[in-house]
Amino acid sequence: MQESKVIIITGGSSGIGRAAALRFASQGDKVLITGRRAGPIEKTMAEHQNIAGLIADTASAEDAERTIAEAIGKWGRLDTLVNNAGAGAILPLSDVAAERIADIFSVNVVGPSLLARAALPHLQATRGTIINISSTFGHRPAAGLSHYAASKAALEHLTRCWALELAPLGIRVNAVAAGPTESGALTGMMGLSAEAAEAVKDEERARIPLGRRGVPDDIARWIVQLAGPASQWMTGQVLAVDGGLGLA
Ligand SMILES: NC(=O)c1ccc[n+]([C@@H]2O[C@H](COP(=O)([O-])OP(=O)(O)OC[C@H]3O[C@@H](n4cnc5c(N)ncnc54)[C@H](OP(=O)(O)O)[C@@H]3O)[C@@H](O)[C@H]2O)c1
């Protein structure tokens, strides 16, 4: 049996992060999930004894330090940081305001950077790994999504730059670029009404070559794979798990 590892997943109380937490936990790893609300964290913790939770906002620099310290305090090591929490909005250029751009970039770019910095010595000690969660729109343009897309493009390039910078320390850095996946994201993070979300889902289903939207576990299984020994000679890659949408 594989040795038990310690994993941090930001935004691990819903959708893709929750599915990854359950997969890691069920293979025996210890998982710390974060989120801003206690309720969903407690619900996810109740699903597996290997899952612990911390209320922390990825947009907060202080919370980045606190998150890493919590995992180290609990289990004394860190093997994998999954930068999964995301922010976004349907945001046409005509509606752009400085705070709205800052809100997106503070969760998708600044937060992952500060978490990664705080994690560095611990990941070096375990020859660990960072996995960033991007989107099809991190490498494909989309009208009305420019700042979300640009923030994910930044995260994909951080992935490649950190991979080079951290390879001498034995730390691998990869990303999973998820395609449209069933989760709370359209009505939550993207702020759509239930009706508008359904219309987007129909349109996406029609465009995805494999003919369906993803489910969180489609993405979670690759997050777990990138953290594991099968990926030990792989770094700096952005793996598209998107039903072929990025090709269409
Ligand atoms: N679903 C998709 O179609 C899709 C496609 C491509 C990429 N992605 C990416 O996948 C990642 C996960 O999305 P999802 O679809 O699984 O979303 P989700 O179901 O809405 O879950 C988001 C999770 O992140 C937490 N969260 C949100 N903002 C946070 C913050 N500032 N600090 C800490 N936690 C925060 C949420 O909990 P709280 O609200 O309680 O904080 C929740 O646990 C995101 O990076 C997203 O951009 C999703």
Side-chain angles (χ1 to χ4, degrees):
M1 204 171 114
Q2 201 177 302
E3 186 196 357
S4 168
K5 300 274 173 71
V6 172
I7 320 290
I8 293 175
I9 304 178
T10 63
S13 61
S14 172
I16 293 166
R18 174 182 163 278
L22 289 169
R23 271 194 174 261
F24 279 118
S26 63
Q27 73 179 18
D29 296 330
K30 306 288 188 200
V31 188
L32 178 69
I33 61 169
T34 69
R36 293 160 302 174
R37 291 167 301 152
I41 290 180
E42 279 159 15
K43 227 170 131 192
T44 307
M45 284 169 65
E47 291 183 72
H48 204 291
Q49 60 182 9
N50 287 353
I51 301 178
L54 179 72
I55 297 177
D57 187 341
T58 299
S60 150
E62 199 178 285
D63 283 2
E65 298 285 340
R66 210 162 54 80
T67 300
I68 304 302
E70 177 79 8
I72 297 302
K74 256 183 152 32
W75 299 303
R77 62 182 285 159
L78 177 62
D79 296 277
T80 297
L81 168 65
V82 184
N83 282 312
N84 167 73
I90 312 285
L91 185 56
L93 187 56
S94 52
D95 294 348
V96 152
E99 319 81 77
R100 297 197 73 187
I101 300 173
D103 284 349
I104 294 172
F105 275 74
S106 62
V107 180
N108 295 358
V109 178
V110 180
S113 305
L114 298 180
L115 280 151
R117 182 190 66 181
L120 267 186
H122 310 292
L123 293 176
Q124 185 175 2
T126 57
R127 299 183 73 79
T129 183
I130 299 171
I131 300 168
N132 295 321
I133 307 306
S134 182
S135 157
T136 306
F137 301 114
H139 45 273
R140 230 193 108 133
L145 271 182
S146 55
H147 290 86
Y148 174 71
S151 71
K152 291 298 193 181
L155 188 59
E156 292 190 2
H157 210 51
L158 289 174
T159 300
R160 291 184 279 264
C161 293
W162 291 347
L164 271 183
E165 186 175 327
L166 304 183
L169 307 181
I171 301 172
R172 297 182 303 106
V173 188
N174 291 291
V176 178
T181 303
E182 299 297 347
S183 75
L186 286 178
T187 49
M189 170 171 104
M190 291 294 179
L192 295 180
S193 67
E195 199 180 30
E198 281 315 308
V200 169
K201 287 181 184 183
D202 286 345
E203 194 254 334
E204 286 172 344
R205 266 181 218 107
R207 276 173 44 210
I208 295 170
L210 287 178
R212 66 171 176 89
R213 289 167 51 82
V215 293
D217 211 40
D218 287 323
I219 314 302
R221 63 178 67 234
W222 283 103
I223 296 173
V224 172
Q225 191 74 2
L226 284 175
S231 305
Q232 66 191 0
W233 207 47
M234 183 174 169
T235 197
Q237 301 307 302
V238 178
L239 189 67
V241 185
D242 63 0
L245 180 63
L247 307 172

